[in-house]
Amino acid sequence: MKDFTPQPPAQGCRNAPVLKERGQREVFCGLTGIIWLHRKMQDAFFLVVGSRTCAHLLQSAAGVMIFAEPRFGTAILEEKDLAGLACANEELDREVDRLLARRPDIRQLFLVGSCPSEVIKLDLHRAAERLTERHAPHVRVMNYSGSGIETTFTEGEDACLACMVPTLPATDERQLLLVGALPDVVEDQALGLLRDMGVSPVRCLPAHRAAEVPGVGSNTVVALTQPFLNETAQHLERRGARILPAPFPFGEEGTTAWLWAVAQEFGVDADTFARVTDAPRARARKAIAAAAETLRGKSIFFFPDSQLEIPLARFLTRECGMTAVEVGAPFINKQIVGPDLDLLAEGPVIAEGQDVDLQLDRCRAARPDLTVCGLGLANPLEAEGMATKWAIELVFTPVHFYEQAGDLAGLFARPLRRRALLTGLEGAA
Amino acid sequence: MKLTVWTYEGPPHVGAMRVATGMKGLHYVLHAPQGDTYADLLFTMIERRNHRPPVSYTTFQARDLGADTANLFKTALHDAYDRFKPQALIVGSSCTAELIQDDPGGMSETMGLPVPVIPLELPSYQRKENFGTDETFFQIVKALARPMERTAHVTANLIGPTGLGFRHRDDIVEVTAMLEEMGIGVNVVAPMGATPADIARMGAAHFNVLMYPEHAEAAARWMERNLGQPFTKVVPIGVGATRDFIEEVAGLAGVAPKYDDARLRMPWYSQSVDSTYLTGKRVFLFGDATHVKCMARMARDEMGFEVVGLGCYNREFARDIRALAKEYGVEALITDDYLEVEKTIEDLAPEMILGTQMERHIGKRLGIPCAVISAPVHVQDFPARYSPVMGWEGANVIFDTLVHPLVMGLEEHLLHMFREDFEFHDDAGASHHGGAAKLRSLDEIPAETDTAQPAAASAPSQGNIVWLSDAEKELKKIPFFVRGKAKRNTEKFALEKGVHEISVETLYEAKAHYAR
């Protein structure tokens, strides 16, 4: 049985002192979550109420995707909206009416708050209630904030899912609820493994469509698939659900531990578990080994971005032989990433928050072999001679569970292999 | 409120960032919430800059709101000065900070920093990115440039190029070379590459070359009034415009116009027989006003295209563009709403679009070839190779750029000859790009438009028009890249004549009617 739970190091990082910093932060705001959430929820539209800056951010982050009639947009506040609040509500109603008339396929509409809408205290919650009444039963209108003043990058997904939880139907059914938006291919693999073990029923939040939203109640057991779902977890607990503590399903070890936690909860015996997982475990180990050749013995430095940093550092140090220098995360909830912290061997600086100039000073002093950071820092650091892996890709690319374990390691190995290939290549910058 | 998906321009503080990032020795302290740093990646990724933009953000969060944000700003300003030791600072608010009214200008004044601190007022809820570049550069020039003795030798300032500018890097090289040929030196290029110290010595130039009116017209006018420097009105994009520019510069400098166009290949390429098929190609132009203006002249007078419509997204130049449209006998489209642009393109059914990144995608959707002539652009339009759009080499570059998306004359001839051939079939596409421009066959048109956009399907092919099968067969023989237009024209013609069934004869009558 021990076999399925990874051997923790003599001293993990759960009680390691956390370097808490405040200062200039080089991070995305929660609006960015819309980019992947709208792909997952196929009948939802995300309407940001904000400024031209918000629209510009979505455009920059969505890249080419923005040209494919996406299901998101920005209601840009204009000068006249700032003059009087009553008018802003009417304007919003009118824009929503127009939008829903043009897109009759929309069943869920999210009014997404931004910094400007929060600062002028535009009551989007009330607006959502009002609009739900107006467009019932066809469309349900909900509201959350993806503003930079309140949320960092993936926290936008957390805020979105959390706002859905109170509206989920009640159920007493004994069920497993997978929480976190995973790429479809990954979700299917997870569901397949659980089905083969006989765990049932299994439901997902977010669901693909409004009609498929799961119920929740005191017999619901929640397995989080993403580490940034702090508020959602709280809301689910408030509805009586229980959160299963487990490391996150990155790498062979993480996936096995995550599945084993579920298996134990649902009374799956070790033989069944082994029968279902042995083959994919072996595949994952083999795939990781190929990339690990490049990674073994290399040092890594994480700038804060998505809250995936701690579980990823655990995977890279334990399964790929890397050494972590600093693991920065925008926010650390020890209850949720505790199992990962236990498995991460003592040593790295664990940092929460950011003062980007100070952190850059530490990074330059450490000269890590690989630096995980955002796109605003990646090229400048490369120009200083440091190999980087841009972090956002880790949120968009399928990286969870067994079949993606090799790809995940590959994402980190590729920049190092490339750097080795391009030796002696110099020119103007 | 206005629902938006695409924006042609960012907010005005992004314009200020473009000026700051173009310059050296200047630092921008921006009062902005966490998250506004997203704009850094425009510079580090799209323009592939090898350093961080010289911008510090206060990154205030919800818990800081209240009295704290003002202190955050002061700390950020102090830290930025201590760390980067710039020659000058610019300070301002992003859209959210504008709402909390901390007044960065006033606060920085009280701090007594030993370098000039230039406050920016950028109204985010009224104005946009290009206003931001223009206003920021103007404020910097106003604060730092002073009248001074002219250089002994005739020199000019090149003004307007910024960070994230469409081909600004190479245009500078091209214009510098043109001036050099006439014995005119370049005093300062700004904002791109200039330090605040350089700005301070701009007064030494004899005149200014206003490369991009969008980004430096306010500064040019101020320098004309206060430093006595005239500025050029012609933007040298295209062969004719470049000649006019050289005349204009020679006049301002008091030297003889002189140039070496030995490597100007564009006119001969355009005259050579393989270009004959370009004659009367119907083009639609959209982008920033300056590039549209120059490209319209080039399209008509140097490529032999027919300009069927033009417009710009920057309202500041609406009057110019309306006048230009009048001159070309077409309607001007002044809008920042891409849906309006798409609708206009659909209605005009041009054979080619000259536009921005957005129009490239509209073109892709409608199966119309497109060349990018203006910002906003994506990473592929910050090429590694030398590719100016100004001057002689610029004309060469543009010729290639415009012709490339179109099939070459001989190739087009072959497509006509062998259109039922397995290799030269319809789906081969009108463009060299990607080969994926799978134009819908006739039967697919209504269905596809329906699912993509129900409202748009209402266009001309409504009415109770019936295509007789012979006519439909005949229609399919028309090369696919003009078939859409032929179909529309025929239907329009039929409706006007009150005919509801289209026969082969109707098709050819319509063809004769619209013959040009």
Side-chain angles (χ1 to χ4, degrees):
Chain A
M1 225 137 301
K2 263 268 184 294
D3 198 13
F4 306 131
T5 19
Q7 200 61 45
Q11 180 77 54
C13 285
R14 192 189 284 254
N15 298 316
V18 174
L19 172 65
K20 295 199 181 196
E21 274 189 319
R22 286 194 60 186
Q24 182 181 324
R25 307 182 97 187
E26 185 88 19
V27 288
F28 279 127
C29 65
L31 294 182
T32 332
I34 293 171
I35 312 284
W36 66 86
L37 278 172
H38 89 283
R39 304 301 311 159
K40 191 73 196 170
M41 293 187 244
Q42 292 163 4
D43 55 3
F45 192 100
F46 293 80
L47 179 62
V48 177
V49 181
S51 64
R52 179 166 302 279
T53 311
C54 307
H56 196 234
L57 158 85
L58 283 177
Q59 175 165 322
S60 310
V64 141
M65 201 193 280
I66 200 150
F67 300 108
E69 280 281 327
R71 280 173 287 102
F72 59 80
T74 310
I76 294 187
L77 293 164
E78 293 167 320
E79 181 131 79
K80 61 179 192 275
D81 300 305
L82 305 175
L85 284 179
C87 166
N89 282 323
E90 278 167 34
E91 294 264 312
L92 181 61
D93 289 3
R94 192 197 61 222
E95 286 302 324
V96 167
D97 289 352
R98 267 175 43 185
L99 170 69
L100 292 177
R102 214 177 73 189
R103 303 293 301 265
D105 50 323
I106 300 305
R107 294 284 178 279
Q108 312 174 69
L109 175 67
F110 290 93
L111 302 179
V112 188
S114 66
C115 301
S117 75
E118 296 292 323
V119 167
I120 62 168
K121 303 214 179 336
L122 188 58
D123 194 343
L124 292 181
H125 190 71
R126 283 261 298 281
E129 283 174 358
R130 188 176 66 237
L131 287 162
T132 296
E133 262 173 50
R134 189 170 167 138
H135 295 281
H138 192 70
V139 185
R140 160 164 250 153
V141 185
M142 283 166 281
N143 147 255
Y144 72 91
S145 171
S147 72
I149 56 178
E150 290 156 307
T151 57
T152 305
F153 195 30
T154 48
E155 280 180 325
E157 175 175 334
D158 187 27
C160 173
L161 300 189
C163 92
M164 297 172 77
V165 173
T167 71
L168 298 178
T171 177
D172 283 337
E173 192 180 27
R174 162 91 169 146
Q175 61 169 354
L176 178 68
L177 186 60
L178 297 191
V179 182
L182 292 176
D184 287 347
V185 53
V186 177
E187 188 176 289
D188 291 346
Q189 286 168 18
L191 293 173
L193 288 163
L194 293 166
R195 186 184 55 234
D196 292 348
M197 279 179 220
V199 177
S200 137
V202 185
R203 311 217 196 282
C204 299
L205 182 72
H208 281 111
R209 312 191 145 266
E212 295 161 15
V213 296
V216 65
S218 52
N219 284 320
T220 299
V221 176
V222 170
L224 300 176
T225 60
Q226 300 281 23
F228 44 75
L229 299 169
N230 306 297
E231 205 190 327
T232 308
Q234 266 180 33
H235 278 65
L236 285 165
E237 278 175 332
R238 218 166 289 156
R239 296 280 310 260
R242 194 153 49 81
I243 313 293
L244 211 53
F248 285 90
F250 297 112
E252 181 270 318
E253 207 180 61
T255 307
T256 305
W258 186 91
L259 285 169
W260 182 236
V262 175
Q264 282 177 305
E265 172 70 28
F266 283 82
V268 178
D269 62 79
D271 288 345
T272 311
F273 188 81
R275 180 173 51 73
V276 173
T277 59
D278 275 354
R281 283 180 76 181
R283 273 203 301 273
R285 273 198 296 264
K286 191 174 156 207
I288 294 168
E293 271 176 41
T294 313
L295 297 175
R296 189 159 300 114
K298 301 288 199 304
S299 60
I300 189 162
F301 191 110
F302 284 89
F303 278 81
D305 195 56
S306 61
Q307 298 185 47
L308 295 173
E309 297 84 2
I310 287 170
L312 288 175
R314 182 262 299 154
F315 163 69
L316 290 167
T317 52
R318 291 176 63 100
E319 297 186 51
C320 302
M322 296 189 88
T323 326
V325 180
E326 174 162 334
V327 185
F331 179 70
I332 297 175
N333 178 346
K334 287 202 174 170
Q335 260 174 334
I336 287 183
V337 291
D340 282 293
L341 282 169
D342 288 336
L343 293 172
L344 179 62
E346 185 186 30
V349 174
I350 307 289
E352 184 182 24
Q354 185 175 39
D355 184 322
V356 71
D357 284 316
L358 297 180
Q359 197 166 29
L360 278 166
D361 289 345
R362 291 199 297 278
C363 183
R364 289 179 183 123
R367 293 296 293 187
D369 295 308
L370 187 63
T371 302
V372 183
C373 60
L375 292 172
L377 299 177
N379 270 337
L381 286 175
E382 290 278 352
E384 290 179 30
M386 306 214 272
T388 62
K389 164 75 215 107
W390 47 284
I392 305 149
E393 196 177 8
L394 300 161
V395 179
F396 288 97
T397 314
V399 291
H400 294 68
F401 292 96
Y402 292 129
E403 312 306 339
Q404 285 67 240
D407 302 343
L408 177 59
L411 287 179
F412 294 90
R414 195 173 304 128
L416 294 174
R417 281 176 34 223
R418 180 163 188 80
R419 184 153 275 267
L421 282 170
L422 301 183
T423 48
L425 188 65
E426 272 160 35
Chain B
M1 273 178 219
K2 187 166 183 344
L3 184 61
T4 310
V5 181
W6 297 0
T7 61
Y8 283 96
E9 292 179 73
H13 73 257
V14 169
M17 286 181 71
R18 290 178 57 178
V19 171
T21 308
M23 288 181 65
K24 295 188 169 83
L26 179 86
H27 202 85
Y28 184 18
V29 178
L30 179 61
H31 203 17
Q34 160 175 291
D36 277 6
T37 50
Y38 82 87
D40 282 359
L41 66 88
L42 303 173
F43 299 92
T44 59
M45 298 306 290
I46 295 180
E47 206 180 2
R48 278 186 235 254
R49 293 229 164 214
N50 63 358
H51 57 268
R52 297 173 66 211
V55 184
S56 294
Y57 304 81
T58 54
T59 47
F60 56 84
Q61 292 172 273
R63 58 185 171 196
D64 305 317
L65 289 177
D68 243 21
T69 52
N71 281 324
L72 263 179
F73 176 81
K74 288 185 184 170
T75 316
L77 188 59
H78 255 306
D79 288 354
Y81 177 74
D82 289 345
R83 180 172 282 267
F84 301 104
K85 291 283 188 301
Q87 297 171 16
L89 286 146
I90 52 177
V91 297
S93 295
S94 80
C95 52
T96 305
E98 195 182 330
L99 297 171
I100 58 177
Q101 300 178 335
D102 274 338
D103 185 21
M107 284 191 288
S108 51
E109 215 169 284
T110 63
M111 288 169 61
L113 290 175
V115 295
V117 182
I118 303 159
L120 301 174
E121 292 290 343
L122 302 173
S124 323
Y125 297 91
Q126 298 160 25
R127 311 307 292 266
K128 289 179 256 177
E129 183 175 330
N130 284 339
F131 172 83
T133 53
D134 191 59
E135 173 70 11
T136 303
F137 184 52
F138 164 57
Q139 292 297 342
I140 292 172
V141 168
K142 195 173 112 186
L144 302 177
R146 291 290 167 264
M148 58 176 65
E149 202 180 319
R150 300 275 190 255
T151 51
H153 186 72
V154 184
T155 57
N157 297 316
L158 306 190
I159 58 173
T162 66
L164 264 190
F166 176 65
R167 308 292 168 87
H168 289 193
R169 179 195 69 196
D170 298 340
D171 284 348
I172 294 172
V173 179
E174 198 63 22
V175 173
T176 304
M178 279 194 283
L179 297 184
E180 220 162 65
E181 277 162 15
M182 284 187 274
I184 302 166
V186 170
N187 182 48
V188 173
V189 180
M192 188 90 110
T195 62
D198 293 331
I199 303 285
R201 60 184 184 82
M202 284 178 81
H206 293 235
F207 65 102
N208 284 316
V209 172
L210 177 56
M211 292 176 67
Y212 308 100
E214 268 83 357
H215 308 311
E217 193 166 338
R221 291 189 187 286
W222 185 88
M223 288 191 277
E224 185 175 49
R225 273 196 314 277
N226 296 280
L227 308 180
Q229 294 166 323
F231 64 90
T232 56
K233 310 293 190 298
V234 180
V235 176
I237 300 177
V239 177
T242 300
R243 294 216 163 95
D244 293 351
F245 172 79
I246 287 168
E247 290 285 340
E248 190 185 23
V249 165
L252 290 178
V255 301
K258 202 174 126 200
Y259 54 82
D260 172 12
D261 58 2
R263 275 167 300 143
L264 174 63
R265 285 174 283 266
M266 188 274 169
W268 164 243
Y269 270 55
S270 195
Q271 285 156 359
S272 72
V273 291
D274 198 47
S275 298
T276 313
Y277 79 107
L278 298 173
T279 315
K281 279 256 183 220
R282 308 171 70 254
V283 297
F284 176 78
L285 298 109
F286 197 82
D288 69 46
T290 297
H291 285 91
V292 164
K293 220 166 162 178
C294 298
M295 288 307 301
R297 175 172 176 188
M298 226 191 150
R300 186 183 65 183
D301 302 343
E302 298 171 19
M303 299 294 290
F305 293 153
E306 180 192 350
V307 173
V308 294
L310 56 84
C312 73
Y313 56 76
N314 45 345
R315 264 168 212 290
E316 289 88 346
F317 292 80
R319 190 186 296 215
D320 292 8
I321 289 296
R322 287 213 177 88
L324 181 76
K326 209 167 197 185
E327 190 189 311
Y328 279 72
V330 296
E331 288 272 317
L333 177 67
I334 314 292
T335 183
D336 58 358
D337 182 346
Y338 73 97
L339 288 174
E340 249 180 84
V341 179
E342 187 175 78
K343 177 83 177 55
T344 309
I345 292 176
E346 251 173 4
D347 290 349
L348 291 172
E351 289 159 275
M352 185 180 199
I353 308 168
L354 309 183
T356 72
Q357 199 58 219
M358 321 305 196
E359 283 68 47
R360 195 167 67 81
H361 284 270
I362 291 173
K364 219 182 238 178
R365 203 180 141 250
L366 300 173
I368 303 171
C370 177
V372 172
I373 57 153
S374 154
V377 292
H378 208 24
V379 61
Q380 68 267 35
D381 276 301
F382 284 90
R385 66 175 184 278
Y386 183 57
S387 13
V389 291
M390 290 184 178
W392 307 135
E393 187 57 24
N396 293 339
V397 166
I398 293 171
F399 181 85
D400 289 347
T401 309
L402 300 199
V403 164
H404 192 193
L406 299 167
V407 276
M408 299 295 285
L410 182 62
E411 215 171 310
E412 183 164 310
H413 176 68
L414 289 174
L415 280 175
H416 276 278
M417 264 175 65
F418 303 121
R419 65 183 162 238
E420 299 303 331
D421 185 278
F422 74 101
E423 276 178 317
F424 293 97
H425 61 91
D426 284 4
D427 288 343
S431 156
H432 293 298
H433 287 310
K438 272 200 187 141
L439 268 225
R440 303 113 184 178
S441 83
L442 179 70
D443 329 324
E444 281 169 357
I445 287 174
E448 266 203 52
T449 342
D450 271 354
T451 44
Q453 214 174 31
S458 61
S461 59
Q462 265 192 355
N464 28 10
I465 293 274
V466 179
W467 282 78
L468 298 175
S469 66
D470 275 2
E472 203 171 330
K473 234 191 221 161
E474 200 66 18
L475 182 68
K476 278 191 181 170
K477 291 185 194 160
I478 298 173
F480 58 89
F481 39 85
V482 287
R483 193 186 299 148
K485 190 175 134 236
K487 181 167 182 266
R488 268 170 230 258
N489 280 351
T490 309
E491 287 174 357
K492 198 169 141 209
F493 176 79
L495 279 177
E496 277 167 12
K497 298 271 158 193
V499 178
H500 291 281
E501 285 187 346
I502 294 178
S503 64
V504 179
E505 203 151 302
T506 330
L507 183 68
Y508 283 115
E509 269 173 28
K511 185 172 187 293
H513 179 76
Y514 288 104
R516 46 166 204 263

